[in-house]
């Protein structure tokens, strides 16, 4: 389809000759993802459609307690320090963004009164700014008014390098100005196709100026509100025991009528995914359980005659192996895995290639994940428009042996390959979780046949994914050779997702290991492609740039994708919860209710 034909279809939508759904269906047929087709209409001045949710309660409260299980318990409740999904979810109970993403990739207003559009002038046609109008009469849990000043402060707080936030990349390259008491404008330094980042979704939660202002910069970790949140959300803070329990009570002054339905909320942490699945699906002790990383065989068995089900939601999450490009065993200036070092073994691309060949993805899919994990060689797997068709994955012990042999790695009498006195021995870590331990074993067995010795290390999930900068065993510090976990894609666009490989995002002691680049892989060509994609308004050219980036990291074996993982939750048969693969599980907590 050429540009003239495309503009003609958009004009048909504007005047009513073609429905919005009809346009989107045609774009999907051409390989364009649903969210991006919607964004094309928004840029052309067609108002964004709002997905309706059938919310039945006719009054606020009366629903009793909502009981949630998070087998990785939250460790802090400041969304801008939340490197782990569990902490992002815990924060979302209390804090809210201006807008969130529904399951179709549409923007839904939360603290904003409406979604910006070209049609009303709030979304600049040249892609240089977006203006957000805020809801009025919204108050923080302590009764103070929510205003544009809070948005501006959140931007100042998150972008300050001394604050060392997880969200610095979202707020560091934009300017935010107060237009009036309930209007803010986000200004970009160049045309920006994906404008719905700052103040949106997981990275967009807004914090109160009056409680955090004294703790901006170097004092950021000392704020009492890091552990006792005061937000605008449907539930007010009651109690928090890090790694164990988060409790909240109904917000009687919530800014939407008849919401929330539940009188209280309890997020229980710890345990394991199988026990969590059983407590929801089989016994009905809990209403909801997050992240069912459980063998599909077990889930299906629990569903038979149970009191709940496994809810599978499409998104962009990927379970993968990260390869350390720095030396985790050598300390430089008080820092291990320093960017001043190179990994003594994994710096050899032949070793990384061999490891990739020794990951039996089909066995992992067939015998571990089933319908909840699809074997893949891509880091970006969804939306479909951004999925590369250039990569491939292969499992071959013979080829791995050939690659290592050709690179000079010879087997010794102990069966372990060595070169220049260095043996191919690695520490391979992940969190404690049955599918991950089974995946580790599958990979270890293949590696043994190729002359690679893997020492398997399993860390309690609440420790591995902790946001505690003093914890030596976090995945962000990466004090081992290779590690495996899932990275969540919380937007229907890969820009923030692919920050993970930028040079400026390397996790270091200086940035309190908040940088997104955990592998410490650095490539100027990748950085250049990413910067180009940030300002590319042509959707076809922009998708091609992200595909190029995906191919660069996968073909250099900076990461080894294992399975694409749709979101899987355990949900009570009576609970009605609005799910999305492009935002937090609790993104629409205000809409949850229980059928009689």
């Amino acid at each position: 389809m050429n540009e003239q034909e495309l503009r003609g279809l958009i004009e048909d939508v504007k005047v009513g000759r073609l429905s919005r759904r009809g346009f989107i269906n045609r774009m999907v047929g051409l390989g364009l993802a649903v969210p991006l087709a919607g964004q094309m209409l928004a840029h052309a001045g067609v108002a964004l459609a709002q997905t309706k949710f059938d919310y039945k309660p006719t009054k606020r409260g009366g629903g009793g307690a909502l009981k949630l299980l998070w087998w990785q318990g939250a460790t802090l409740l400041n969304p801008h320090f939340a490197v782990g999904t569990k902490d992002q979810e815990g924060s979302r109970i209390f804090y809210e963004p201006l807008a969130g993403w529904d399951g179709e990739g549409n923007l839904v207003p939360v603290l904003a009164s409406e979604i910006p559009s070209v049609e009303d002038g709030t979304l600049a046609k040249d892609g240089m700014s977006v203006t957000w109008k805020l809801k009025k009469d919204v108050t923080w849990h302590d009764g103070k008014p929510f205003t544009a000043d809070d948005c501006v402060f959140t931007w100042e707080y998150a972008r300050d390098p001394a604050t060392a936030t997880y969200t610095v990349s979202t707020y560091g390259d934009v300017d935010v100005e107060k237009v009036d008491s309930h209007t803010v404008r986000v200004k970009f330094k160049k045309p920006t196709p994906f404008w719905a980042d700052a103040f949106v979704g997981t990275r967009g939660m807004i914090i109160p100026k009056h409680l955090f202002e004294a703790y901006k910069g170097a004092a950021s970790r000392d704020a009492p509100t890091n552990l006792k949140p005061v937000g605008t959300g449907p539930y007010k803070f009651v109690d928090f025991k890090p790694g164990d329990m988060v409790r909240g009570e109904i917000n009687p002054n919530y800014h939407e009528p008849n919401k929330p339905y539940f009188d209280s909320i309890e997020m229980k942490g710890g345990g394991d995914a199988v026990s969590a699945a059983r407590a929801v699906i089989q016994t009905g002790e809990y209403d909801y359980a997050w992240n069912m990383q459980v063998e599909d065989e077990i889930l299906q068995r629990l569903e038979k005659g149970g009191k709940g089900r496994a809810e599978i939601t499409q998104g962009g999450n990927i379970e993968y192996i990260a390869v350390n490009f720095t030396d985790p065993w050598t300390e430089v200036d008080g820092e291990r895995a320093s960017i001043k070092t190179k990994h003594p073994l994994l710096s050899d691309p032949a070793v990384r290639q061999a490891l990739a060949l020794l990951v039996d993805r089909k066995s992992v899919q067939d015998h571990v994940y089933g319908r909840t994990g699809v074997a893949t060689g891509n880091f970006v797997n969804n939306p479909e428009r951004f999925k590369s068709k250039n990569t491939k994955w292969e499992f071959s012990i013979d080829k791995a042996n050939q690659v290592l042999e050709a690179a000079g790695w010879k087997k010794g009498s102990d069966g372990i390959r060595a070169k220049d006195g260095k043996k191919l021995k690695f520490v391979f870590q992940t969190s404690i979780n049955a599918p991950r331990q089974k995946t580790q074993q599958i990979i270890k067995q293949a590696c043994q046949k190729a002359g690679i010795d893997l020492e398997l290390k399993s860390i309690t999930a609440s420790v591995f994914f902790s946001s505690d900068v003093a914890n030596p065993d976090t995945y962000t510090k990466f004090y081992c050779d290779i590690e495996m976990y899932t990275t969540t894609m919380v937007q229907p666009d890969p820009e923030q997702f692919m920050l993970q490989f930028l040079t400026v995002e390397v996790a270091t002691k200086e940035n309190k290991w908040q940088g997104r680049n955990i592998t410490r892989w650095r490539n100027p060509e990748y950085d250049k492609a990413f910067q180009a994609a940030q300002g590319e308004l042509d959707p076809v050219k922009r998708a091609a740039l992200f595909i190029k980036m995906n191919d660069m990291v996968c073909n250099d074996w900076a990461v080894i994708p294992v399975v694409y993982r749709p979101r899987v939750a355990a949900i009570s048969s009576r609970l009605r919860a609005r799910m999305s693969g492009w935002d937090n599980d609790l993104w629409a907590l205000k809409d949850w209710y229980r059928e009689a």
Side-chain angles (χ1 to χ4, degrees):
M1 179 177 293
N2 60 37
E3 182 179 356
Q4 184 176 356
E5 291 172 322
L6 179 59
R7 292 187 185 279
L9 286 177
I10 292 174
E11 185 62 29
D12 287 345
V13 176
K14 284 184 175 181
V15 300
R17 286 193 296 266
L18 177 65
S19 69
R20 181 187 179 89
R21 180 173 293 277
F23 173 84
I24 290 176
N25 287 341
R26 291 197 190 190
M27 294 301 102
V28 170
L30 294 172
L32 188 71
V34 172
L36 291 178
Q39 292 293 308
M40 287 175 65
L41 291 176
H43 274 290
V46 180
L48 288 170
Q50 298 303 322
T51 305
K52 292 183 178 180
F53 179 74
D54 186 18
Y55 184 77
K56 294 181 179 180
T58 57
K59 68 173 185 176
R60 176 173 290 146
L66 175 64
K67 299 180 67 177
L68 313 176
L69 272 175
W70 251 252
W71 52 275
Q72 295 172 15
T75 54
L76 58 75
L77 297 174
N78 182 329
H80 298 282
F81 295 153
V83 297
T85 305
K86 59 188 175 45
D87 298 327
Q88 296 163 10
E89 297 282 2
S91 298
R92 194 65 170 266
I93 294 174
F94 310 104
Y95 293 111
E96 297 180 304
L98 295 185
W101 297 102
D102 72 8
E104 297 297 320
N106 296 311
L107 281 171
V108 178
V110 182
L111 289 174
S113 61
E114 59 190 39
I115 298 300
S117 70
V118 173
E119 192 173 39
D120 65 7
T122 51
L123 180 61
K125 290 183 178 180
D126 61 4
M128 294 298 291
S129 70
V130 58
T131 301
W132 290 94
K133 296 179 181 179
L134 314 183
K135 283 184 178 180
K136 297 180 179 178
D137 301 322
V138 175
T139 60
W140 295 100
H141 292 155
D142 61 3
K144 301 289 186 181
F146 162 73
T147 69
D149 291 330
D150 296 302
C151 295
V152 174
F153 171 76
T154 297
W155 162 68
E156 293 173 340
Y157 175 92
R159 77 194 301 260
D160 186 344
T163 308
T165 64
Y166 164 76
T167 55
V168 64
S169 59
T170 289
Y171 298 93
D173 291 331
V174 301
D175 290 314
V176 178
E177 64 180 19
K178 175 182 175 181
V179 177
D180 59 39
S181 65
H182 285 81
T183 309
V184 293
R185 181 174 294 117
V186 181
K187 297 193 294 186
F188 308 109
K189 293 178 171 59
K190 59 184 176 182
T192 300
F194 189 68
W195 50 267
D197 184 19
F199 306 123
V200 174
T202 297
R203 304 171 71 82
M205 286 179 262
I206 299 165
I207 58 177
K209 177 180 179 179
H210 64 284
L211 294 177
F212 280 96
E213 189 169 25
Y215 299 96
K216 187 175 70 170
S220 63
R221 302 284 164 166
D222 300 327
T225 327
N226 289 340
L227 300 176
K228 296 180 179 180
V230 176
T232 59
Y235 298 97
K236 298 170 62 176
F237 176 79
V238 171
D239 188 31
F240 177 41
K241 293 180 174 60
D244 178 29
M245 182 75 73
V246 181
R247 287 192 176 95
E249 63 184 5
I250 193 169
N251 176 5
N253 300 311
Y254 189 60
H255 53 86
E256 290 195 22
N258 303 328
K259 297 178 183 180
Y261 166 77
F262 294 100
D263 302 305
S264 63
I265 185 170
E266 174 187 292
M267 176 189 280
K268 173 65 177 173
D272 60 81
V274 174
S275 297
R278 186 173 292 114
V280 174
I281 299 174
Q282 188 175 61
T283 69
E285 182 184 356
Y286 282 81
D287 299 295
Y288 186 87
W290 160 86
N291 189 18
M292 291 297 92
Q293 194 166 7
V294 177
E295 294 97 317
D296 194 29
E297 178 187 359
I298 295 175
L299 288 176
Q300 292 188 54
R301 188 165 67 245
L302 291 175
E303 286 176 314
K304 293 178 180 177
K307 298 180 179 180
R309 67 184 186 282
E311 181 83 1
I312 299 176
T313 306
Q314 297 303 312
N317 300 349
I318 178 72
E319 177 87 356
Y320 71 102
I321 296 168
V323 176
N324 202 335
F325 278 72
T326 57
D327 186 350
W329 312 113
T330 300
E331 189 172 293
V332 177
D333 299 329
E335 180 178 6
R336 290 167 59 185
S338 166
I339 57 174
K340 296 178 182 178
T341 66
K342 288 186 177 180
H343 197 284
L345 306 175
L346 294 169
S347 294
D348 185 345
V351 175
R352 303 196 302 273
Q353 182 184 4
L355 284 172
L357 287 164
L358 294 167
V359 177
D360 188 355
R361 296 166 175 85
K362 189 175 188 303
S363 289
V364 173
Q365 174 184 307
D366 291 349
H367 302 299
V368 180
Y369 285 95
R371 60 190 165 146
T372 69
V374 181
T376 182
N378 281 317
F379 194 75
V380 179
N381 290 274
N382 206 13
E384 186 68 26
R385 178 175 178 75
F386 295 105
K387 185 177 179 180
S388 174
K389 295 179 173 59
N390 308 320
T391 60
K392 64 178 182 179
W393 62 267
E394 180 182 8
F395 172 63
S396 175
I397 296 172
D398 289 342
K399 188 172 287 188
N401 273 307
Q402 293 169 14
V403 167
L404 292 171
E405 194 73 26
W409 295 93
K410 305 296 183 181
K411 282 188 177 180
S413 57
D414 58 359
I416 307 302
R417 292 185 179 273
K419 180 180 178 181
D420 299 329
K422 299 174 183 176
K423 290 192 174 186
L424 288 184
K425 291 188 173 185
F426 301 109
V427 174
F428 177 18
Q429 74 179 18
T430 189
S431 64
I432 294 176
N433 170 267
R436 287 194 170 130
Q437 272 68 76
K438 289 189 176 182
T439 301
Q440 279 185 311
Q441 288 292 343
I442 290 171
I443 296 169
K444 180 180 174 70
Q445 290 172 12
C447 283
Q448 285 176 331
K449 296 176 182 178
I452 298 175
D453 181 47
L454 293 185
E455 176 187 333
L456 304 184
K457 181 179 179 181
S458 301
I459 303 169
T460 302
S462 61
V463 173
F464 189 61
F465 295 107
S466 171
S467 300
D468 180 3
V469 296
N471 181 350
D473 287 322
T474 62
Y475 79 100
T476 58
K477 285 189 174 175
F478 203 175
Y479 289 169
C480 70
D481 303 298
I482 58 176
E483 63 182 4
M484 181 173 61
Y485 57 95
T486 287
T487 284
T488 56
M489 187 173 176
V490 292
Q491 298 169 331
D493 182 276
E495 185 171 314
Q496 284 294 334
F497 192 63
M498 295 302 279
L499 275 171
Q500 297 174 73
F501 306 106
L502 280 179
T503 298
V504 295
E505 283 289 323
V506 168
T508 65
K509 181 180 180 180
E510 184 179 4
N511 61 32
K512 296 184 174 69
W513 297 277
Q514 296 286 297
R516 299 283 308 283
N517 187 342
I518 309 301
T519 67
R520 283 76 158 169
W521 179 81
R522 288 164 287 167
N523 187 317
E525 187 181 351
Y526 182 95
D527 296 345
K528 184 178 179 180
F530 186 91
Q531 290 165 4
Q534 284 183 304
E536 181 55 70
L537 294 177
D538 184 311
V540 176
K541 292 179 180 178
R542 188 165 182 271
L545 285 166
F546 280 112
I547 288 172
K548 177 182 178 180
M549 286 181 261
N550 173 86
D551 295 351
M552 289 171 69
V553 296
C554 293
N555 291 336
D556 196 29
W557 309 287
V559 292
I560 303 170
V562 181
V563 289
Y564 155 66
R565 289 185 59 207
R567 299 271 185 97
V568 183
I571 186 168
S572 163
S573 299
R574 294 173 56 203
L575 183 66
R576 296 296 173 261
R578 197 174 180 185
M579 296 287 97
S580 172
W582 303 114
D583 210 322
N584 296 80
D585 279 29
L586 302 181
W587 79 281
L589 181 62
K590 61 185 175 62
D591 297 329
W592 289 26
Y593 68 95
R594 188 184 291 121
E595 292 275 14

